[in-house]
Amino acid sequence: MRAGQERWHPSQQRRIPKRGTDWVEDSAAWTLASLALLGAVLSMIIGFHVHGSLMDRARAETASRTPVRAILMQDVTPMPEVGDTGTTPLTQVPVRWLDTDGVVREGEATVDGALRGGDATVVWVDRSHHLVSPPTRTADATAAGYVASGIVLFMILAVLTMMWFGIRQLAMARNCAHWAREWAVVEPRWSGRTYGGNLS
């Protein structure tokens, strides 16, 4: 290397200065990314809360409801749409059961499947000897927690995405206006119109 000759390094390359809108976009990107992380944590908290609430409900229902064996008093009439969907819809049919207090009672229970009169099924009764729905299952509580968490996370990400595109649109509009002002200054000199169109 000759004396006085400096060695060029890539870091010495001249960088294009950032515009104000670039700083705004960078700050917005970091802020929205942080909010997205907080949203993910919030969605998990809500999901755990929903799951916990339903598990408490399931335990309370299990403690207050009792399964009993009931006899169908008539055939279950299949619905017309059974052949279309391939599933058997729930049907209300009269049933008779021996209650927990030793009394034979009758009522209408929700059953599924092609059952016939005289068939046995399991129904649930509460402490007042009324027919009630089965207790909430653990799988249902888990699924509800996942669904609640997913919905909250989707809504948060959707809002943040809309905000990001809104910021980008505003930044682009401001840049276009700035470019238009700069072009209005440069274009007459570049085209020669500042000299009356005569360059000779």
Side-chain angles (χ1 to χ4, degrees), residues 75 97 113 154:
D75 297 344
W97 72 94
F154 174 80

Side-chain angles (χ1 to χ4, degrees), residues 61-118:
E61 291 176 347
T62 301
S64 62
R65 300 178 183 184
T66 305
V68 295
R69 183 174 179 270
I71 303 299
L72 271 67
M73 300 174 62
Q74 69 179 40
D75 297 344
V76 176
T77 303
M79 301 295 290
E81 60 268 19
V82 172
D84 298 334
T85 61
T87 58
T88 304
L90 299 178
T91 308
Q92 288 277 343
V93 294
V95 296
R96 181 187 295 113
W97 72 94
L98 179 63
D99 213 331
T100 54
D101 58 355
V103 177
V104 176
R105 291 186 169 84
E106 295 182 359
E108 285 195 349
T110 302
V111 298
D112 59 350
L115 302 177
R116 301 181 63 86

Side-chain angles (χ1 to χ4, degrees), residues 18 21-31 164:
K18 283 191 173 184
T21 52
D22 294 332
W23 292 105
V24 172
E25 289 184 358
D26 291 345
S27 300
W30 280 103
T31 301
W164 171 246

Side-chain angles (χ1 to χ4, degrees), residues 57 59-68 100 123-127 130 132-136:
R57 176 180 172 181
R59 285 189 287 268
E61 291 176 347
T62 301
S64 62
R65 300 178 183 184
T66 305
V68 295
T100 54
V123 297
W124 291 78
V125 294
D126 59 12
R127 294 171 179 172
H130 296 143
V132 292
S133 61
T136 302

